[in-house]
Amino acid sequence: MPANHEKVGTHKPEWLKVRLHNDPRYADVAALVRRHDLHTICASGRCPNISACWSRGTATFMIGGEVCTRACRFCATRSAAAPAPLDRNEPVRIARSVALMGLRHAVITSVDRDDLPDGGAEHWAETVRAVRALNPETTIELLIPDFSGDIALLEVVLASGADIVGHNLETVSKLTPAVRDRRASYQTSLDILRHIAAFGRERGEPAWAKSGMMVGLGESRDDVLGTLDDLAAAGVRRLTIGQYLQPTVRHYPVAEYVHPEVFEAYRAAAEERGIDYVESGPLVRSSYRADRLAPARRNPLGTVTARDE
């Protein structure tokens, strides 16, 4: 593997500079979002890929509120032990937003809701069903929490009818205690992914499970390769690998800026291990080019919704 990297300094390297897309569809979607006050994590999270994704008809929504019960050191989401109650109108509102934006592929994520008896599982399921009912040709991808390892709660979400289900491992095993909340476990995340993959195989969809991880936190390349082994063994067949960027000075520090050539090497290593669909690069995030990693969907009339490359 190449040894290219760049030490952290006052300036980010050239490869982390965002190149905006001048696609008219992006401008149309952005105007629609402002006009109807639609909430996407793309905008609120200031994702560097917002123009590329919106131009492709992909967007990410966060449900369950804006306050998380966990406090991972890499994440800028606000944290509290008892967030506000769930908004019972949220599933329908998300479904209408997907329709208004004319999305081909909708990604739904959430904060952790350890305060709720079911971790928000039924709210997840209601959201998927609402989006599917109003947008039968839109593919739906979920990026779910670990539900504290409760497989019964996980299956409530899995049975709701999404096209892809993902759970992010986030980082390598040795860094998990320092980077993620103390309630998050590397092994629990692997168990969740293993069950997602098994559920997908039962549905005849062997590439159903997806995960994501960050690099540049201080991991070694052997650590990354070991993580890729673990993900492949768990049945993950879709993966994103991106550069960690520190949200504020209070968050976990960036150890290094990983060179694009190293990301390409990680992509090749993942594919060698049987992870078929990989997006790996400095600006890659969990939902980056998510539609490219999504299957074509058959609508109720039996025709196939095409996916542009």
Side-chain angles (χ1 to χ4, degrees):
M1 273 191 188
N4 306 55
H5 69 280
E6 184 161 319
K7 292 182 180 179
V8 175
T10 56
H11 300 290
K12 292 178 183 176
E14 182 68 26
W15 62 77
L16 282 172
K17 293 182 179 178
V18 179
R19 290 162 180 77
L20 296 178
H21 293 243
N22 294 319
D23 191 302
R25 176 170 171 77
Y26 166 71
D28 291 344
V29 172
L32 190 149
V33 167
R34 289 192 300 271
R35 187 181 317 124
H36 293 276
D37 194 26
L38 306 180
H39 175 72
T40 69
I41 194 66
C42 317
S44 63
R46 299 181 180 180
C47 178
N49 305 307
I50 185 170
S51 61
C53 290
W54 284 9
S55 296
R56 296 177 63 88
T58 300
T60 301
F61 301 89
M62 186 166 73
I63 63 173
E66 298 180 354
V67 177
C68 188
T69 53
R70 300 189 184 181
C72 296
R73 289 193 64 201
F74 68 87
C75 181
T77 302
R78 288 186 296 140
S79 178
L86 294 175
D87 177 358
R88 295 302 176 186
N89 294 319
E90 187 172 52
V92 172
R93 193 168 65 252
I94 295 292
R96 289 173 177 166
S97 295
V98 171
L100 281 168
M101 294 173 73
L103 298 181
R104 301 161 61 240
H105 185 73
V107 183
I108 303 170
T109 187
S110 81
V111 292
D112 282 278
R113 292 300 304 256
D114 300 298
D115 59 310
L116 301 175
D118 72 344
E122 184 56 37
H123 191 72
W124 269 98
E126 289 175 7
T127 302
V128 174
R129 290 192 290 265
V131 173
R132 175 71 72 230
L134 199 58
N135 307 273
E137 294 189 29
T138 299
T139 43
I140 301 173
E141 175 178 329
L142 309 183
L143 177 57
I144 63 173
D146 64 13
F147 296 106
S148 299
D150 190 322
I151 298 303
L153 297 181
L154 172 64
E155 289 189 342
V156 170
V157 180
L158 297 183
S160 64
D163 297 288
I164 296 175
V165 180
H167 171 69
N168 283 350
L169 199 57
E170 305 293 9
T171 187
V172 302
S173 179
K174 75 177 186 184
L175 292 178
T176 294
V179 173
R180 300 176 69 188
D181 185 273
R182 60 180 176 77
R183 287 162 287 186
S185 154
Y186 184 86
Q187 189 57 53
T188 297
S189 287
L190 280 179
D191 291 343
I192 291 292
L193 287 165
R194 190 174 292 111
H195 196 84
I196 293 171
F199 195 96
R201 287 193 296 271
E202 291 174 4
R203 289 179 22 147
E205 300 175 25
W208 208 44
K210 181 178 177 180
S211 192
M213 63 180 295
M214 304 170 288
V215 294
L217 289 152
E219 70 289 329
S220 70
R221 288 177 193 164
D222 284 345
D223 292 331
V224 174
L225 296 181
T227 302
L228 295 179
D229 288 335
D230 291 341
L231 288 167
V236 170
R237 294 297 177 264
R238 304 172 191 269
L239 177 66
T240 59
I241 308 173
Q243 170 72 51
Y244 168 65
L245 297 175
Q246 186 180 28
T248 74
V249 294
R250 297 188 302 276
H251 288 82
Y252 197 86
V254 177
E256 68 171 326
Y257 293 126
V258 179
H259 194 279
E261 290 181 11
V262 178
F263 279 103
E264 285 303 312
Y266 288 156
R267 180 205 305 276
E271 291 173 347
E272 287 170 3
R273 286 159 172 75
I275 301 176
D276 302 312
Y277 307 95
V278 184
E279 290 287 351
S280 178
L283 292 174
V284 168
R285 298 295 178 264
S286 298
S287 57
Y288 179 67
R289 292 183 176 177
D291 61 309
R292 291 182 61 180
L293 302 189
R297 174 167 187 79
R298 292 187 177 275
N299 68 24
L301 299 179
T303 57
V304 174
T305 302
R307 302 222 158 272
D308 300 330
E309 289 300 323

